[in-house]
């Protein structure tokens, strides 16, 4: 029997503190970090996606950041292939792969024997829906999805037109709901994985999200979004990123800047809630509450606690 490769996964909602903790764990356990975020792959989209800076990396190698142009599409299947290759590459160097992020489906696709229904395609059907969404708005196709697969409609935001149409296409071709097909997937872990989750009191988390948005605006979020807006970047996957779609509304003069920023905060809070719900329902996680550490402004004890847990898990697995 082939020995499974070791992988550490650090998950949690946006603004919970994954970035700083991941650096400490990578330093302590000789690790390299793989981004598990579906939007940090895009070049130039830095502020809105809270992309880690070179300074924050502290010399720790990071992978799957800035790998494609904003007008290119990127699938979960592509992510799965790239990350699995990186895990093997990092392991071969004698380092520990640490996946850090908040995009649940992407991370699940890597860790589990997750097959994609790539054969379920009908390009004509897909094109018709794309035209429909373009003419009449994303809500129209999202309402179509709600009629055939309410569970998928609940989990996919109506702005994410590509995924909405994909779910409709799968149902059209196979006659099955995408959620049903996903539930049929095997739940076998392909890796010797330790999954660590960070959580926090909801009120405090929401305060941190609101503060982060204000900081993004101060750092030049409006200028970043304006750059891509002026380039004519429109109906593509990257613009579904929270921060872009809301400010595009302001630039289209559909709402004021204040309204767009408030909507951005609200959508970020809702996304954090969906992230926590997803992780708790789909993946077996060892959770650590960051509330007290953050309130005290000192996460050093939490770093020691999590490091101790991880060290124990890695030693335990070494001996089995």
């Amino acid at each position: 029997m082939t020995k499974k490769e070791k992988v550490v996964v650090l998950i949690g909602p946006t603004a919970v503190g994954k970035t700083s903790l991941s650096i400490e764990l990578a330093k302590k356990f000789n690790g390299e970090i793989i981004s598990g975020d579906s939007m940090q792959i895009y070049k130039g989209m830095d502020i809105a996606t809270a992309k880690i800076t070179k300074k924050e990396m502290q010399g720790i190698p990071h992978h799957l950041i800035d790998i494609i142009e904003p007008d290119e599409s990127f699938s979960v299947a592509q992510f799965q292939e790239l990350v699995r290759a990186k895990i093997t590459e990092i392991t071969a160097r004698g380092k520990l792969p640490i996946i850090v992020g908040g995009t649940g489906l992407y991370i699940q696709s890597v860790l589990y024997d997750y097959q994609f229904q790539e054969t379920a395609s009908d390009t004509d059907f897909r094109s018709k829906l794309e035209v429909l969404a373009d003419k009449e708005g994303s809500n129209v196709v999202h309402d179509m999805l709600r009629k055939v697969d309410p569970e998928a409609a609940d989990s996919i935001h109506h702005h994410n037109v590509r995924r909405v149409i994909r779910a409709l296409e799968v149902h059209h071709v196979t006659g099955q709901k995408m959620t049903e097909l996903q539930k049929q997937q095997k739940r076998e872990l392909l890796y010797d994985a330790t999954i660590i989750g960070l959580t926090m009191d909801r009120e405090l988390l929401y305060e941190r999200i609101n503060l982060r948005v204000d900081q993004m605006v101060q750092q030049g979020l409006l200028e970043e979004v304006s750059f891509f807006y002026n380039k004519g970047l429109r109906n593509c996957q990257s613009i579904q990123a929270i921060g872009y779609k809301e400010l595009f509304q302001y630039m289209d003069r559909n709402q004021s800047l204040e309204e767009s920023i408030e909507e951005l905060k609200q959508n970020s809070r809702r996304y954090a809630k969906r992230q926590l719900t997803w992780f708790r329902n789909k993946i077996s996680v060892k959770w650590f509450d960051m509330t007290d550490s953050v309130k005290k402004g000192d996460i050093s004890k939490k770093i020691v606690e999590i490091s101790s847990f991880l060290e124990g898990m890695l030693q335990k697995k070494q001996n089995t």
Side-chain angles (χ1 to χ4, degrees), residues 177-189:
K177 299 174 183 178
M178 180 174 266
T179 47
E180 288 175 351
L181 290 170
Q182 288 173 347
K183 286 171 185 174
Q184 292 167 15
Q185 299 282 358
K186 293 179 182 176
R187 298 290 293 165
E188 181 190 350
L189 268 171

Side-chain angles (χ1 to χ4, degrees), residues 87-219:
I87 288 171
T88 299
E89 178 190 310
I90 293 166
T91 303
R93 284 198 292 270
K95 300 288 192 77
L96 179 66
I98 303 173
I99 302 174
V100 181
T103 309
L105 179 63
Y106 277 53
I107 292 170
Q108 186 187 34
S109 76
V110 171
L111 298 179
Y112 292 90
D113 187 13
Y114 201 100
Q115 306 296 320
F116 294 96
Q117 293 80 33
E118 297 297 346
T119 53
S121 64
D122 183 333
T123 51
D124 288 341
F125 179 79
R126 190 189 317 153
S127 297
K128 286 175 185 174
L129 291 182
E130 286 168 353
V131 170
L132 180 65
D134 197 40
K135 283 185 177 178
E136 300 189 29
S138 59
N139 279 322
V140 174
V141 287
H142 196 262
D143 288 342
M144 289 171 65
L145 179 59
R146 186 165 296 285
K147 287 175 184 173
V148 299
D149 191 349
E151 196 176 341
D154 285 340
S155 66
I156 305 172
H157 194 279
H158 70 88
H159 282 307
N160 197 340
V161 178
R162 190 185 63 85
R163 279 193 64 205
V164 170
I165 290 175
R166 179 63 188 146
L168 283 165
E169 184 184 7
V170 168
H171 180 266
H172 171 74
V173 175
T174 67
Q176 286 184 277
K177 299 174 183 178
M178 180 174 266
T179 47
E180 288 175 351
L181 290 170
Q182 288 173 347
K183 286 171 185 174
Q184 292 167 15
Q185 299 282 358
K186 293 179 182 176
R187 298 290 293 165
E188 181 190 350
L189 268 171
L190 297 180
Y191 297 95
D192 187 356
T194 301
I195 307 173
I196 295 167
L198 304 185
T199 187
M200 186 180 288
D201 172 76
R202 186 168 289 181
E203 193 175 321
L204 179 61
L205 180 64
Y206 286 178
E207 282 176 19
R208 284 168 63 87
I209 289 170
N210 291 340
L211 178 61
R212 173 182 274 190
V213 171
D214 289 335
Q215 289 170 341
M216 284 176 171
V217 173
Q218 291 166 10
Q219 290 164 2

Side-chain angles (χ1 to χ4, degrees), residues 282-312:
K282 303 280 186 179
I283 296 179
S284 178
V285 181
K286 171 63 177 176
W287 290 99
F288 292 88
D289 194 307
M290 303 293 288
T291 306
D292 290 340
S293 301
V294 169
K295 280 182 177 177
K296 291 172 184 173
D298 181 11
I299 65 165
S300 57
K301 287 183 180 177
K302 190 59 68 173
I303 290 169
V304 171
E305 182 188 349
I306 294 172
S307 296
S308 177
F309 164 76
L310 181 53
E311 191 167 17

